[in-house]
Each structure stands twice: as structure tokens, then as C-alpha cells.
Short mmCIF file of all heavy atoms in Angstrom, two decimals:
data_model
loop_
_atom_site.label_atom_id
_atom_site.label_comp_id
_atom_site.label_asym_id
_atom_site.label_seq_id
_atom_site.Cartn_x
_atom_site.Cartn_y
_atom_site.Cartn_z
N LEU A 1 0.76 -1.20 0.01
CA LEU A 1 0.04 -0.02 -0.04
C LEU A 1 0.85 1.25 0.02
O LEU A 1 1.91 1.36 0.65
CB LEU A 1 -0.92 0.05 1.27
CG LEU A 1 -1.89 -1.21 1.36
CD1 LEU A 1 -2.76 -1.12 2.53
CD2 LEU A 1 -2.63 -1.41 0.09
N TYR A 2 0.48 2.29 -0.74
CA TYR A 2 1.10 3.53 -0.88
C TYR A 2 0.34 4.55 -0.17
O TYR A 2 -0.76 4.76 -0.38
CB TYR A 2 1.21 3.91 -2.36
CG TYR A 2 1.85 5.12 -2.67
CD1 TYR A 2 3.17 5.48 -2.32
CD2 TYR A 2 1.14 6.21 -3.37
CE1 TYR A 2 3.76 6.73 -2.61
CE2 TYR A 2 1.77 7.44 -3.71
CZ TYR A 2 3.10 7.65 -3.36
OH TYR A 2 3.63 8.92 -3.62
N ALA A 3 1.12 5.31 0.76
CA ALA A 3 0.59 6.38 1.51
C ALA A 3 1.63 7.49 1.62
O ALA A 3 2.37 7.49 2.62
CB ALA A 3 0.03 5.87 2.87
N PRO A 4 1.62 8.40 0.77
CA PRO A 4 2.78 9.43 0.64
C PRO A 4 3.14 10.27 1.74
O PRO A 4 4.21 10.54 2.04
CB PRO A 4 2.43 10.18 -0.69
CG PRO A 4 1.01 9.99 -0.83
CD PRO A 4 0.51 8.70 -0.36
N ASP A 5 2.13 10.72 2.49
CA ASP A 5 2.28 11.65 3.57
C ASP A 5 1.21 11.67 4.47
O ASP A 5 0.01 11.08 4.19
CB ASP A 5 2.74 13.01 3.25
CG ASP A 5 1.64 13.73 2.32
OD1 ASP A 5 0.57 13.56 2.67
OD2 ASP A 5 2.02 14.24 1.35
N GLU A 6 1.24 12.23 5.68
CA GLU A 6 0.26 12.08 6.71
C GLU A 6 -0.91 12.86 6.24
O GLU A 6 -2.15 12.28 6.42
CB GLU A 6 0.76 12.72 7.96
CG GLU A 6 -0.11 12.31 9.19
CD GLU A 6 -0.11 10.93 9.51
OE1 GLU A 6 1.04 10.30 9.32
OE2 GLU A 6 -1.22 10.34 9.98
N ALA A 7 -0.91 14.00 5.57
CA ALA A 7 -2.14 14.74 5.10
C ALA A 7 -2.83 13.84 4.13
O ALA A 7 -4.10 13.78 4.21
CB ALA A 7 -1.65 16.04 4.53
N GLU A 8 -2.14 13.37 3.17
CA GLU A 8 -2.85 12.55 2.15
C GLU A 8 -3.29 11.23 2.64
O GLU A 8 -4.41 10.79 2.31
CB GLU A 8 -1.78 12.22 0.92
CG GLU A 8 -2.66 11.69 -0.17
CD GLU A 8 -1.86 11.74 -1.45
OE1 GLU A 8 -0.89 12.43 -1.53
OE2 GLU A 8 -2.23 11.02 -2.37
N ARG A 9 -2.61 10.74 3.71
CA ARG A 9 -3.08 9.53 4.37
C ARG A 9 -4.42 9.67 5.02
O ARG A 9 -5.28 8.80 4.85
CB ARG A 9 -2.12 9.14 5.44
CG ARG A 9 -2.56 7.86 6.32
CD ARG A 9 -1.56 7.49 7.37
NE ARG A 9 -0.24 7.07 6.85
CZ ARG A 9 0.68 6.54 7.66
NH1 ARG A 9 0.49 6.46 9.01
NH2 ARG A 9 1.84 6.20 7.02
N GLU A 10 -4.61 10.93 5.59
CA GLU A 10 -5.99 11.17 6.21
C GLU A 10 -6.96 11.22 5.25
O GLU A 10 -8.16 10.77 5.42
CB GLU A 10 -5.87 12.42 7.07
CG GLU A 10 -5.02 12.29 8.28
CD GLU A 10 -4.83 13.72 9.16
OE1 GLU A 10 -5.57 14.55 8.75
OE2 GLU A 10 -4.12 13.64 10.07
N THR A 11 -6.71 11.75 4.06
CA THR A 11 -7.65 11.85 2.96
C THR A 11 -8.00 10.45 2.42
O THR A 11 -9.13 10.09 2.21
CB THR A 11 -7.16 12.67 1.76
OG1 THR A 11 -6.88 13.91 2.21
CG2 THR A 11 -8.12 12.67 0.67
N MET A 12 -6.97 9.56 2.37
CA MET A 12 -7.16 8.26 1.76
C MET A 12 -7.87 7.32 2.75
O MET A 12 -8.67 6.39 2.35
CB MET A 12 -5.79 7.68 1.41
CG MET A 12 -5.09 8.45 0.24
SD MET A 12 -3.32 7.98 0.21
CE MET A 12 -3.25 6.48 -0.79
N ASP A 13 -7.70 7.47 4.08
CA ASP A 13 -8.25 6.57 5.06
C ASP A 13 -9.42 7.10 5.91
O ASP A 13 -9.83 6.42 6.77
CB ASP A 13 -7.23 5.78 5.91
CG ASP A 13 -6.55 6.76 6.88
OD1 ASP A 13 -7.06 7.88 7.01
OD2 ASP A 13 -5.46 6.34 7.43
N GLY A 14 -9.80 8.25 5.49
CA GLY A 14 -10.94 8.83 6.11
C GLY A 14 -10.53 9.39 7.47
O GLY A 14 -11.39 9.74 8.33
N GLY A 15 -9.25 9.50 7.81
CA GLY A 15 -8.77 10.13 9.03
C GLY A 15 -8.86 9.17 10.32
O GLY A 15 -8.70 9.68 11.39
N GLU A 16 -9.19 7.88 9.98
CA GLU A 16 -9.42 7.02 11.16
C GLU A 16 -8.15 6.12 11.33
O GLU A 16 -8.25 5.28 12.28
CB GLU A 16 -10.63 6.03 10.75
CG GLU A 16 -11.96 6.89 10.55
CD GLU A 16 -13.04 5.98 10.20
OE1 GLU A 16 -12.86 4.73 10.09
OE2 GLU A 16 -14.25 6.42 10.00
N GLY A 17 -7.13 6.29 10.65
CA GLY A 17 -6.01 5.43 10.80
C GLY A 17 -6.20 3.92 10.45
O GLY A 17 -5.42 3.15 10.94
N ASN A 18 -7.28 3.75 9.56
CA ASN A 18 -7.50 2.30 9.17
C ASN A 18 -6.81 2.05 7.85
O ASN A 18 -7.17 2.63 6.89
CB ASN A 18 -9.16 2.25 9.09
CG ASN A 18 -9.55 0.84 8.57
OD1 ASN A 18 -8.67 -0.06 8.45
ND2 ASN A 18 -10.83 0.72 8.34
N ALA A 19 -5.85 1.07 7.89
CA ALA A 19 -5.15 0.77 6.60
C ALA A 19 -6.02 0.23 5.55
O ALA A 19 -5.76 0.26 4.37
CB ALA A 19 -4.01 -0.15 6.99
N ARG A 20 -7.28 -0.32 6.01
CA ARG A 20 -8.16 -0.83 5.00
C ARG A 20 -8.72 0.12 4.12
O ARG A 20 -9.18 -0.07 2.97
CB ARG A 20 -9.29 -1.74 5.67
CG ARG A 20 -8.89 -3.02 6.22
CD ARG A 20 -10.21 -3.94 6.43
NE ARG A 20 -9.71 -5.23 6.89
CZ ARG A 20 -9.38 -6.27 6.20
NH1 ARG A 20 -9.37 -6.05 4.80
NH2 ARG A 20 -9.09 -7.35 6.62
N GLY A 21 -8.70 1.42 4.52
CA GLY A 21 -9.22 2.62 3.87
C GLY A 21 -8.30 3.07 2.79
O GLY A 21 -8.63 4.00 1.81
N ILE A 22 -7.03 2.66 2.78
CA ILE A 22 -6.01 3.12 1.68
C ILE A 22 -6.44 2.54 0.44
O ILE A 22 -6.70 1.55 0.24
CB ILE A 22 -4.61 2.71 2.21
CG1 ILE A 22 -4.12 3.51 3.40
CG2 ILE A 22 -3.69 3.15 1.05
CD1 ILE A 22 -2.76 3.05 3.93
N SER A 23 -6.25 3.46 -0.53
CA SER A 23 -6.66 3.07 -1.95
C SER A 23 -5.87 1.81 -2.36
O SER A 23 -4.71 1.67 -2.16
CB SER A 23 -6.27 4.22 -2.89
OG SER A 23 -6.36 3.81 -4.20
N ARG A 24 -6.61 0.94 -2.95
CA ARG A 24 -6.06 -0.33 -3.62
C ARG A 24 -5.75 -0.06 -5.04
O ARG A 24 -5.35 -0.87 -5.82
CB ARG A 24 -7.02 -1.46 -3.46
CG ARG A 24 -6.81 -2.33 -2.26
CD ARG A 24 -6.62 -1.72 -0.96
NE ARG A 24 -6.59 -2.64 0.13
CZ ARG A 24 -6.53 -2.35 1.30
NH1 ARG A 24 -6.35 -1.11 1.74
NH2 ARG A 24 -6.56 -3.24 2.34
N GLY A 25 -5.87 1.17 -5.49
CA GLY A 25 -5.45 1.70 -6.89
C GLY A 25 -3.95 1.63 -6.91
O GLY A 25 -3.20 1.47 -5.95
N PHE A 26 -3.42 1.85 -8.13
CA PHE A 26 -2.10 1.99 -8.31
C PHE A 26 -1.53 3.29 -8.68
O PHE A 26 -2.33 4.28 -9.13
CB PHE A 26 -1.60 0.92 -9.42
CG PHE A 26 -1.88 1.33 -10.80
CD1 PHE A 26 -1.00 2.11 -11.60
CD2 PHE A 26 -3.02 1.02 -11.45
CE1 PHE A 26 -1.28 2.49 -12.86
CE2 PHE A 26 -3.40 1.26 -12.74
CZ PHE A 26 -2.49 2.05 -13.41
N PHE A 27 -0.23 3.57 -8.48
CA PHE A 27 0.34 4.92 -8.69
C PHE A 27 1.59 4.71 -9.49
O PHE A 27 2.49 3.86 -9.00
CB PHE A 27 0.68 5.59 -7.45
CG PHE A 27 -0.62 5.74 -6.48
CD1 PHE A 27 -1.06 4.64 -5.65
CD2 PHE A 27 -1.31 6.89 -6.57
CE1 PHE A 27 -2.17 4.84 -4.91
CE2 PHE A 27 -2.41 7.10 -5.71
CZ PHE A 27 -2.92 6.05 -4.93
N LEU A 28 1.79 5.43 -10.57
CA LEU A 28 2.98 5.56 -11.39
C LEU A 28 3.65 6.86 -10.97
O LEU A 28 3.35 7.85 -11.28
CB LEU A 28 2.68 5.42 -12.79
CG LEU A 28 3.82 5.45 -13.78
CD1 LEU A 28 4.80 4.27 -13.51
CD2 LEU A 28 3.43 5.38 -15.20
N LEU A 29 4.92 6.70 -10.42
CA LEU A 29 5.60 7.82 -9.90
C LEU A 29 6.92 8.04 -10.83
O LEU A 29 7.79 7.23 -10.83
CB LEU A 29 6.07 7.49 -8.41
CG LEU A 29 4.91 7.09 -7.51
CD1 LEU A 29 5.61 6.71 -6.19
CD2 LEU A 29 3.88 8.10 -7.43
N ASP A 30 6.92 9.18 -11.44
CA ASP A 30 8.06 9.65 -12.24
C ASP A 30 9.00 10.39 -11.34
O ASP A 30 8.73 11.55 -11.02
CB ASP A 30 7.65 10.41 -13.57
CG ASP A 30 8.87 10.79 -14.32
OD1 ASP A 30 10.02 10.55 -14.01
OD2 ASP A 30 8.55 11.21 -15.47
N HIS A 31 10.20 9.87 -11.10
CA HIS A 31 11.18 10.42 -10.05
C HIS A 31 11.94 11.66 -10.59
O HIS A 31 12.60 12.25 -9.87
CB HIS A 31 11.87 9.45 -9.47
CG HIS A 31 11.20 8.33 -8.66
ND1 HIS A 31 10.33 8.68 -7.71
CD2 HIS A 31 11.18 6.97 -8.79
CE1 HIS A 31 9.73 7.63 -7.20
NE2 HIS A 31 10.22 6.56 -7.83
N GLU A 32 11.72 11.83 -11.89
CA GLU A 32 12.50 13.04 -12.48
C GLU A 32 12.03 14.37 -11.74
O GLU A 32 12.82 15.35 -11.53
CB GLU A 32 12.23 13.25 -13.95
CG GLU A 32 12.94 14.30 -14.68
CD GLU A 32 12.83 14.27 -16.14
OE1 GLU A 32 12.05 13.58 -16.66
OE2 GLU A 32 13.58 15.17 -16.77
N THR A 33 10.66 14.33 -11.30
CA THR A 33 10.11 15.39 -10.46
C THR A 33 11.07 15.74 -9.23
O THR A 33 11.10 16.85 -8.71
CB THR A 33 8.69 15.19 -10.12
OG1 THR A 33 7.99 14.78 -11.31
CG2 THR A 33 8.09 16.35 -9.44
N TYR A 34 11.64 14.65 -8.67
CA TYR A 34 12.46 14.74 -7.42
C TYR A 34 13.93 14.49 -7.62
O TYR A 34 14.58 14.27 -6.88
CB TYR A 34 11.90 13.65 -6.43
CG TYR A 34 10.49 13.84 -6.13
CD1 TYR A 34 9.49 13.03 -6.68
CD2 TYR A 34 9.98 14.78 -5.17
CE1 TYR A 34 8.13 13.36 -6.58
CE2 TYR A 34 8.78 15.04 -4.90
CZ TYR A 34 7.73 14.09 -5.62
OH TYR A 34 6.42 14.48 -5.24
N GLY A 35 14.35 14.86 -8.93
CA GLY A 35 15.71 15.03 -9.14
C GLY A 35 16.42 13.77 -9.72
O GLY A 35 17.61 13.74 -10.01
N VAL A 36 15.84 12.65 -9.97
CA VAL A 36 16.32 11.52 -10.55
C VAL A 36 15.53 11.20 -11.81
O VAL A 36 14.45 10.58 -11.74
CB VAL A 36 16.39 10.29 -9.58
CG1 VAL A 36 17.00 9.07 -10.34
CG2 VAL A 36 17.12 10.66 -8.24
N ALA A 37 16.11 11.44 -12.98
CA ALA A 37 15.47 11.27 -14.27
C ALA A 37 15.67 9.66 -14.65
O ALA A 37 16.52 9.00 -14.10
CB ALA A 37 16.11 12.05 -15.40
N ASN A 38 14.95 9.26 -15.62
CA ASN A 38 15.06 7.90 -16.16
C ASN A 38 14.78 6.81 -15.10
O ASN A 38 15.34 5.76 -15.04
CB ASN A 38 16.30 7.61 -16.85
CG ASN A 38 16.58 8.44 -18.04
OD1 ASN A 38 15.69 9.26 -18.45
ND2 ASN A 38 17.61 8.19 -18.77
N PHE A 39 13.89 7.17 -14.08
CA PHE A 39 13.72 6.28 -12.96
C PHE A 39 12.28 6.48 -12.57
O PHE A 39 11.76 7.55 -12.39
CB PHE A 39 14.52 6.59 -11.70
CG PHE A 39 14.38 5.64 -10.65
CD1 PHE A 39 14.30 4.33 -10.67
CD2 PHE A 39 14.42 6.24 -9.27
CE1 PHE A 39 14.17 3.51 -9.63
CE2 PHE A 39 14.21 5.51 -8.19
CZ PHE A 39 14.10 4.10 -8.26
N ALA A 40 11.47 5.38 -12.44
CA ALA A 40 10.09 5.47 -12.06
C ALA A 40 9.70 4.30 -11.18
O ALA A 40 10.35 3.23 -11.21
CB ALA A 40 9.13 5.45 -13.30
N SER A 41 8.74 4.43 -10.31
CA SER A 41 8.23 3.38 -9.52
C SER A 41 6.81 3.24 -9.76
O SER A 41 5.98 4.15 -9.98
CB SER A 41 8.34 3.84 -7.98
OG SER A 41 9.77 3.99 -7.55
N ILE A 42 6.31 1.98 -9.74
CA ILE A 42 4.85 1.70 -9.81
C ILE A 42 4.47 0.91 -8.56
O ILE A 42 5.01 -0.08 -8.17
CB ILE A 42 4.53 0.83 -11.05
CG1 ILE A 42 3.04 0.70 -11.17
CG2 ILE A 42 5.29 -0.44 -11.13
CD1 ILE A 42 2.52 0.56 -12.57
N VAL A 43 3.52 1.44 -7.79
CA VAL A 43 3.20 0.97 -6.46
C VAL A 43 1.77 0.75 -6.37
O VAL A 43 0.90 1.30 -7.10
CB VAL A 43 3.77 1.96 -5.43
CG1 VAL A 43 5.27 2.00 -5.31
CG2 VAL A 43 3.16 3.37 -5.59
N GLY A 44 1.27 0.10 -5.32
CA GLY A 44 -0.05 -0.24 -5.02
C GLY A 44 -0.63 -1.17 -5.93
O GLY A 44 -0.01 -2.05 -6.57
N GLY A 45 -1.99 -1.13 -6.23
CA GLY A 45 -2.63 -1.97 -7.04
C GLY A 45 -2.98 -3.34 -6.60
O GLY A 45 -2.80 -3.63 -5.32
N LYS A 46 -3.62 -4.17 -7.40
CA LYS A 46 -4.07 -5.47 -7.12
C LYS A 46 -3.54 -6.53 -8.13
O LYS A 46 -3.30 -6.18 -9.20
CB LYS A 46 -5.73 -5.49 -7.09
CG LYS A 46 -6.27 -4.53 -6.06
CD LYS A 46 -7.76 -4.46 -6.24
CE LYS A 46 -8.17 -3.63 -7.33
NZ LYS A 46 -7.91 -2.26 -7.17
#
């Protein structure tokens, strides 16, 4: 499960601290935004 920060975690799980509430969707992260080009992560999903 992917939960990027506390603020977004509260949005994703309804603020209840329940990991079952975290999205089971997937996220494709392009790390060039954070200074490392030609590198991506794919996380979450089913």
C-alpha cells in the first residue's frame, strides 16, 4: 500500500488510521520530479 504523507493518508483512509481505507489503486511515480531522471516506481494495485 502506498501512503505518501500524513495529510494525504488522512484523505485516503478517512482520518481513522484504518489501513483498509487506503486506496487499492495503483500509482506510477516519475522520479524526475524529485531529481532522478530515467527512474520510475509503480506501487499499489491488485
Side-chain angles (χ1 to χ4, degrees):
L1 303 184
Y2 174 62
D5 55 45
E6 196 64 37
E8 190 164 348
R9 176 184 295 186
E10 291 181 2
T11 300
M12 296 163 83
D13 67 13
E16 299 177 359
N18 178 7
R20 284 196 180 276
I22 293 180
S23 172
R24 264 46 170 183
F26 73 89
F27 302 84
L28 179 60
L29 312 175
D30 184 348
H31 298 306
E32 185 171 8
T33 308
Y34 299 97
V36 181
N38 294 8
F39 182 45
S41 297
I42 186 157
V43 295
K46 298 174 282 293

